[in-house]
Amino acid sequence: MAEREGAIVKTGHEEGLKMAIDLLEEFDLPRGLLPLANVVEVGFVRATGYMWIVQQKKVEHVFKMISKVVSYSSDIHGYIEKKRIKKLQGVKAKELMLWPPVNEIKVEDPPTGKIHFKSLAGITKIFPVEAFALGH
């Protein structure tokens, strides 16, 4: 794939998870935003910001502080930049009985302690950033 040209790629759970968390930190995003399990591969193209994560299987995670269930597909990808992930695919948040795909995540800048999740349907949800700290 052309979008993966020049990528840094890490394989295996330990290396992949470390790279994913390092990327979140580098771009000022909460470290617990991507609670991954059984990571197969993580890749990042610095020139374009394109990143991808491959897991063995889909993972559902409950962010307890905000009582929100989020589903992470086995294939997640998007473009990461300062305080933002755009064109995100492979992440869905449960809203009542629906699972709308999340296609953009953005931390407010200047920082207010809030993070925005946008879906293609135009739904935006705002939560406290600390709800996505590592281990929550």
Side-chain angles (χ1 to χ4, degrees), residues 40-126:
V40 176
E41 179 181 281
V42 174
F44 175 60
V45 181
R46 189 157 298 278
T48 61
Y50 182 74
M51 61 163 254
W52 71 91
I53 298 164
V54 179
Q55 305 183 93
Q56 284 177 7
K57 61 183 192 301
K58 180 178 101 167
V59 172
E60 279 187 12
H61 180 81
V62 178
F63 288 97
K64 292 180 186 79
M65 186 176 168
I66 55 171
S67 303
K68 186 61 68 185
V69 181
V70 181
S71 169
Y72 297 85
S73 136
S74 57
D75 181 19
I76 302 165
H77 53 97
Y79 292 85
I80 191 167
E81 57 189 50
K82 198 76 163 164
K83 298 184 181 286
R84 189 170 168 210
I85 302 174
K86 59 184 184 180
K87 296 184 181 173
L88 182 62
Q89 294 190 330
V91 178
K92 295 178 180 178
K94 191 168 187 183
E95 253 344 291
L96 303 171
M97 302 311 283
L98 304 171
W99 287 88
V102 175
N103 86 317
E104 186 175 321
I105 299 171
K106 185 177 180 183
V107 174
E108 288 186 358
D109 191 20
T112 59
K114 302 287 184 206
I115 185 166
H116 298 240
F117 293 81
K118 290 183 187 171
S119 77
L120 288 170
I123 301 164
T124 298
K125 292 288 182 180
I126 302 170

Side-chain angles (χ1 to χ4, degrees), residues 1-6 45 48 50:
M1 289 180 170
E3 60 195 0
R4 295 186 179 194
E5 230 170 79
V45 181
T48 61
Y50 182 74

